[in-house]
Amino acid sequence: MTINPGTIAMLYFKRWTIEKTFNNTKSNFKETKAWSSNTRSLENQMRLTAMSYNLMRVFEEISKTQQPELIHPSDKKYSEALEIRQQQAQKRDRFVNPLFFQARISRISSYTIRAVQNAIITGMSLQCFMSSLVARLVSRPQLIGEH
């Protein structure tokens, strides 16, 4: 009863980052079944899945840092929706929580997953692979809250 309701709402919102990871694992990595009922096998499966997820995340984040003026298409969609939300809030003399404007972790795109699969199959170099990811980025929209 002593925690600010906005804090609770923001924590719940941030919780979805974890849920997105599980969603990626189940839908994009096709990890819907356990490899075994053995505890050690399950632990190994979870470690390999987590490492795969983190590797994909690193690829996407590195591609963004190579050209910081560009962002992932899903980030652009989020930014545009956030701008509309900010405008609606301003009309009511309110504001959108500033935490929404921080860098967010989005779902790993299926493009990245397919690109990794193709790079492995074709023996593509890491440099060519990263260039293909950078080529998918789009111009960053300017948000109202940015300075």
Side-chain angles (χ1 to χ4, degrees):
M1 299 305 279
T2 60
I3 298 175
N4 180 329
T7 302
I8 294 170
M10 184 50 63
L11 289 173
Y12 187 77
F13 173 77
K14 293 293 185 178
R15 174 183 169 264
W16 282 104
T17 298
I18 296 167
E19 295 296 333
K20 287 180 185 180
T21 303
F22 287 124
N23 187 19
N24 265 144
T25 301
K26 290 189 324 190
S27 42
N28 291 344
F29 293 164
K30 309 296 185 221
E31 288 292 333
T32 55
K33 293 170 124 184
W35 294 347
S36 166
S37 59
N38 178 291
T39 304
R40 178 156 292 192
S41 294
L42 292 173
E43 288 173 356
N44 287 337
Q45 180 181 5
M46 295 290 41
R47 284 186 187 106
L48 287 170
T49 302
M51 287 188 309
S52 299
Y53 177 86
N54 289 333
L55 185 61
M56 300 281 184
R57 173 70 52 221
V58 166
F59 286 148
E60 283 196 344
E61 294 304 316
I62 288 174
S63 69
K64 290 179 195 178
T65 60
Q66 287 183 358
Q67 293 191 25
E69 71 279 4
L70 302 177
I71 59 172
H72 192 274
S74 67
D75 290 336
K76 181 179 181 186
K77 183 178 177 182
Y78 177 80
S79 297
E80 290 168 350
L82 193 56
E83 182 176 351
I84 291 168
R85 194 170 174 182
Q86 178 77 346
Q87 290 169 354
Q88 291 170 343
Q90 284 178 339
K91 286 179 186 176
R92 296 186 205 133
D93 288 331
R94 296 183 179 186
F95 64 92
V96 175
N97 189 315
L99 292 175
F100 283 110
F101 292 98
Q102 293 179 347
R104 73 185 189 105
I105 297 176
S106 59
R107 185 174 178 195
I108 296 173
S109 72
S110 55
Y111 176 84
T112 300
I113 293 168
R114 283 193 310 272
V116 169
Q117 291 170 339
N118 291 336
I120 291 169
I121 291 169
T122 62
M124 180 187 292
S125 73
L126 183 59
Q127 184 176 4
C128 288
F129 168 68
M130 290 307 298
S131 295
S132 71
L133 288 183
V134 171
R136 293 279 299 178
L137 300 177
V138 296
S139 296
R140 177 185 296 275
Q142 291 296 349
L143 291 178
I144 293 171
E146 288 185 342
H147 294 74

